[in-house]
Amino acid sequence: MTRSWGRPGAGDAGGTLDRYAYAFLAGGRRRVAESAVVALTEQGTLSLRATRLRPTGEVRSTHAVERAVIAACPRSKRVGEVIDTVGRSQPVDDIARHLVCLGLLSGRRQRTTRAGRRLLAAAASEGTLPTYVLAGPAALATGPVRHGLLGAHPIPDGLGRTLRRVGKALDDDHGSSTDAAPGGGIGCGGSSGGD
């Protein structure tokens, strides 16, 4: 059984699934946008250096998600901004709606259903999709596109604050508060009470 990117296949669950539908199932809205950026850089439509996307002037895209990426960066723009914009775009909403209708994605939280996971597993075993669609930009060969996409992953605010706090606490614990304990050992900044 072979899968095509945009043409009906015998194994598609009630309709056609292209690489961006598989990307949504594998990694959500962000994966769809990242996959479009990779596809457009491979085609030569976009150039990705550091964390900035630039159009090359040559537009050959026919897919709505790819057109949304091109529209999101008419000139040089940060790849993170483009990915966020495309992730909230109408073409990605349309993919989500289609996957919900097929029963491959839950309606409310847009999580991959059991049927969607089976379809992903089948696509992975067939090996007909580009690896970045299923595994994300970490599957790309080392180079400017991989570096630019991986560098565009911001640490979520809550997680970032927590990590900074933990790092500061660790620095404090191992830096200034290692006092000598009464028995000649190393203490951890507190006393056990006593006389």
Side-chain angles (χ1 to χ4, degrees), residues 151-169:
H153 284 282
I155 296 176
D157 278 343
L159 177 60
R161 279 193 300 271
T162 302
L163 290 174
R164 281 191 294 274
R165 244 182 279 128
V166 168
K168 185 174 179 342

Side-chain angles (χ1 to χ4, degrees), residues 27-176:
R29 293 172 177 274
R30 182 173 192 89
R31 181 72 53 80
V32 174
E34 290 170 343
S35 296
V37 167
V38 173
L40 290 167
T41 56
E42 286 179 347
Q43 293 171 15
T45 303
L46 292 178
S47 169
L48 178 57
R49 298 284 180 245
T51 59
R52 299 199 69 82
L53 276 172
R54 291 174 185 81
T56 61
E58 188 178 328
V59 177
R60 296 180 290 187
S61 175
T62 58
H63 197 281
V65 173
E66 293 174 359
R67 287 192 304 269
V69 169
I70 293 167
C73 60
R75 291 182 221 47
S76 176
K77 196 163 191 180
R78 290 175 46 92
V79 70
E81 293 175 36
V82 173
I83 288 171
D84 290 343
T85 300
V86 173
R88 295 185 307 264
S89 69
Q90 186 62 47
V92 177
D93 289 343
D94 292 343
I95 291 171
R97 194 173 6 268
H98 181 67
L99 292 172
V100 168
C101 289
L102 292 174
L104 302 174
L105 197 66
S106 68
R108 281 185 84 202
R109 302 184 93 201
Q110 295 188 340
R111 297 198 188 260
T112 306
T113 63
R114 183 176 293 142
R117 288 189 298 273
R118 280 195 303 266
L119 196 61
L120 276 175
S125 68
E126 290 174 9
T128 58
L129 291 170
T131 56
Y132 62 81
V133 169
L134 300 176
L140 295 171
T142 302
V145 176
R146 182 179 195 266
H147 177 72
L149 286 171
L150 291 178
H153 284 282
I155 296 176
D157 278 343
L159 177 60
R161 279 193 300 271
T162 302
L163 290 174
R164 281 191 294 274
R165 244 182 279 128
V166 168
K168 185 174 179 342
L170 289 174
D171 285 346
D172 289 346
D173 283 347
H174 294 290
S176 62

